[in-house]
Amino acid sequence: MLEKLTPEVEARCQFPYGMSLVGYRLRPSPLVAGEKATLRLVWELEGEIPYDYVPLFVHFVGDEGIRFQADHDARFPLAPRTSVPRCLVLDEFVWQVPPDCPSGELSMRFGALVWWDRDRRLKPRTRLPHDDRVVELGTAAVVKP
């Protein structure tokens, strides 16, 4: 179990409400157009968590803009508004890479949304490259099958 909670790529990023992304693993590597992909996120939670989930997004961006995106509600095994001691939580989501996605290297841009207003993004604190509300996690290669 401990091995599962060790991220392949460290990506420390603090969000409000006691939620911190520790890192991730993306599979397969490279991503394959038209096939499923899995992003495994390791979170550190501490304090009072207002909800038992958080809406997330990952934009895969090329020179021409967003090539595709994956959206997901990260589910935390906690009762809303429960004060929790520091703990690590694994979250995983699966989506299909669009079949028409061209081969190449894409930037992965990650963010979390406000629970009650999905048009607003939570502001992260991180040393990773970021703008006001989106964090640069790294890159992902896409190939044709």
Side-chain angles (χ1 to χ4, degrees), residues 21-98:
L21 180 66
V22 176
Y24 68 92
R25 184 180 90 180
L26 179 65
R27 290 285 187 268
S29 182
L31 300 176
V32 180
E35 296 189 11
K36 288 185 179 179
T38 302
L39 182 63
R40 178 175 286 165
L41 303 170
V42 177
W43 292 92
E44 182 179 294
L45 306 177
E46 184 172 25
E48 187 174 303
I49 310 298
Y51 294 92
D52 61 350
Y53 73 97
V54 61
L56 306 174
F57 65 88
V58 181
H59 295 163
F60 292 85
V61 181
D63 292 337
E64 308 78 22
I66 297 174
R67 288 296 191 171
F68 64 96
Q69 72 182 54
D71 298 321
H72 172 70
D73 285 343
R75 297 282 171 186
F76 300 138
L78 309 165
R81 303 202 185 287
T82 300
S83 186
V84 296
R86 183 180 164 276
C87 64
L88 294 177
V89 175
L90 180 67
D91 179 57
E92 185 173 275
F93 65 106
V94 178
W95 72 95
Q96 184 167 340
V97 178

Side-chain angles (χ1 to χ4, degrees), residues 13 108-110 124 126-131 134-138:
C13 184
M108 292 173 50
R109 297 186 183 160
F110 174 82
T126 182
R127 291 185 177 167
L128 297 171
H130 68 287
D131 66 16
V134 179
V135 177
E136 180 84 36
L137 286 184

